[in-house]
């Protein structure tokens, strides 16, 4: 496959409602959409680096810089026949995994389309439908949270994740648990606590949570191993896991019992598959995280989540949970049984609405 043209677009997407986490408030999501053209076919990917360096050090600007100056010049004009060949060209770049993952996603889409197979099929996915959940930001009161939860449950979501932060934790968790005794419920702290808060997490042990996501430092593995020894609820790492070696360290140290995979955070679908296979061999359950992607990125997430060891419902929600209008058609919808269909058409399996994409693009650059 000759890589003839690569287009980068900085997009700004207005969320349907503000998303409040321990990291701050998000009203709109900025990402990079990557388009690769070759031999009459088009591949699409999304880099989940955000406008701000609050979840990860990467931002739209750093990802753009690394892609444009160091990765794209290596692959433009080349004849690339498989993903491993492409990865070789960006190996010299250390870190910047969100930048790499967006480009890799576009290449996976392009190569799957060349083969005429779905991305799910090319990644080795077996499921035709995936179990999905929804991530709810911090609400002003427990009553507000109950209302939001009830509305999402009506739509079919199988599992609820709520964001927590110091001062906004146990009262929300306990209220929700009381109202919905059988609910599959988990919490995400986005690194807002320290080992001094161990009593808060001990108290959560009585709330029957599926997991506690990233309670401590955003790059920490060691302190999490200490916390996990003090509590029964499984810890799940998100921010701290950037690669297979990180996953291995965390599991061997006992820092977590569950891992959340986001292809952007770990550098792409290839690294995601390595972590998936390793966790399967260690009997560590995994689930697919989310970065408020547009339908372009979400389509790839759904394909990855169709692999067999994604046994817990993912943060992969319907288009309308995020945006009034998604960038793809058909938009993603959730069925009443809490599942989402895995696209079967070649590549990401959905079409990009160029007019809508144009409307949300704030800057565009073409490299050839
Ligand atoms: O920690 O999982 C997280 C969104 C942006 C950054 C970090 C996180 C999130 C989410 C959103 O929780 C999940 C989704 O995309 O549905
Ligand atoms: Mg998280």
């Amino acid at each position: 496959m000759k890589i003839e043209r690569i287009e980068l677009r900085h997009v700004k997407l207005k969320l349907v409602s503000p998303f409040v986490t321990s990291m701050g408030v998000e009203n709109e999501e900025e990402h990079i959409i990557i388009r690769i053209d070759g031999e009459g076919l088009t591949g699409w990917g999304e880099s989940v680096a955000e406008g701000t360096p609050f979840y990860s050090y990467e931002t739209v600007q750093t990802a753009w810089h690394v892609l444009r100056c160091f990765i794209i010049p290596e692959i433009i004009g080349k004849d690339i026949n498989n993903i491993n060949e492409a990865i070789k060209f960006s190996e010299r770049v250390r870190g910047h995994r969100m930048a790499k993952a967006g480009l890799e996603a576009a290449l996976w889409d392009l190569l799957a389309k060349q083969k005429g197979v779905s991305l799910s099929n090319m990644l080795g996915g077996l499921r035709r439908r995936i179990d999905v959940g929804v991530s709810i930001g911090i609400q002003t009161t427990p009553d507000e949270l109950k209302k939001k939860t009830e509305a999402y449950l009506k739509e079919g979501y199988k599992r609820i994740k709520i964001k927590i932060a110091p001062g906004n934790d146990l009262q929300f968790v306990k209220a929700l648990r009381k109202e919905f005794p059988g609910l599959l419920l988990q919490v995400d702290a986005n690194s807002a606590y320290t080992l001094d808060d161990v009593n808060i997490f001990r108290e959560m042990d009585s709330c029957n949570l599926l997991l506690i996501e990233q309670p401590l430092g955003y790059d920490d593995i060691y302190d999490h191993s200490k916390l996990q020894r003090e509590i029964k609820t499984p810890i799940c790492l998100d921010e701290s896991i950037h690669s297979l070696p990180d996953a291995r360290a965390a599991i061997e140290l006992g820092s977590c019992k569950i891992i959340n995979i986001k292809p952007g955070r770990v550098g792409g679908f290839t690294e995601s598959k390595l972590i998936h296979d390793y966790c399967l061999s260690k009997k560590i359950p995994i689930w697919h995280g989310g970065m408020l992607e547009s339908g372009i990125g979400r389509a790839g997430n759904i394909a990855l989540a169709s692999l067999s060891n994604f046994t817990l419902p993912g943060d992969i929600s319907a288009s309308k949970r995020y945006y009034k209008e998604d960038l793809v058609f058909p938009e993603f919808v959730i069925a009443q049984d809490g599942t989402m269909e895995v696209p079967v058409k070649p590549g990401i399996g959905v079409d990009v609405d160029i007019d809508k994409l144009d409307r949300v693009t704030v800057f565009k650059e073409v490299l050839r």
Side-chain angles (χ1 to χ4, degrees), residues 55 135 161 163 188 190 213 238 262 290-292 315 322:
Y55 167 81
S135 173
K161 152 170 151 182
K163 294 288 187 176
D188 188 357
N190 289 110
E213 188 177 343
D238 172 357
K262 295 177 181 172
M291 288 294 292
L292 310 171
D315 276 351
Y322 306 97

Side-chain angles (χ1 to χ4, degrees), residues 60-128:
V60 166
Q61 297 298 329
T62 69
W64 193 287
H65 169 62
V66 165
L67 283 167
R68 186 189 180 289
C69 298
F70 301 105
I71 301 180
I72 292 175
E74 295 294 323
I75 70 160
I76 201 89
K78 297 262 168 48
D79 192 22
I80 284 175
N81 294 302
N82 61 62
I83 291 291
N84 288 337
E85 281 177 30
I87 289 175
K88 287 254 175 306
F89 290 114
S90 64
E91 251 171 17
R92 272 217 290 168
V93 174
R94 295 183 177 175
H96 298 282
R97 293 174 191 272
M98 292 177 174
K100 292 174 183 172
L103 191 81
E104 195 193 309
L107 280 168
W108 275 98
D109 183 31
L110 187 64
L111 293 175
K113 283 171 176 161
Q114 185 186 35
K115 270 192 163 179
V117 301
S118 70
L119 182 55
S120 161
N121 186 304
M122 191 139 124
L123 288 167
L126 297 171
R127 293 173 209 279
R128 307 191 60 170

Side-chain angles (χ1 to χ4, degrees), residues 32 40 67 90 124 142 144 167 179 182 191 200 235 325 341 352 364:
I32 302 174
L67 283 167
S90 64
E144 274 304 306
E179 184 87 5
S191 300
I200 294 175
I235 291 178
E325 290 186 316
E341 202 177 322
V352 175
K364 178 172 131 177

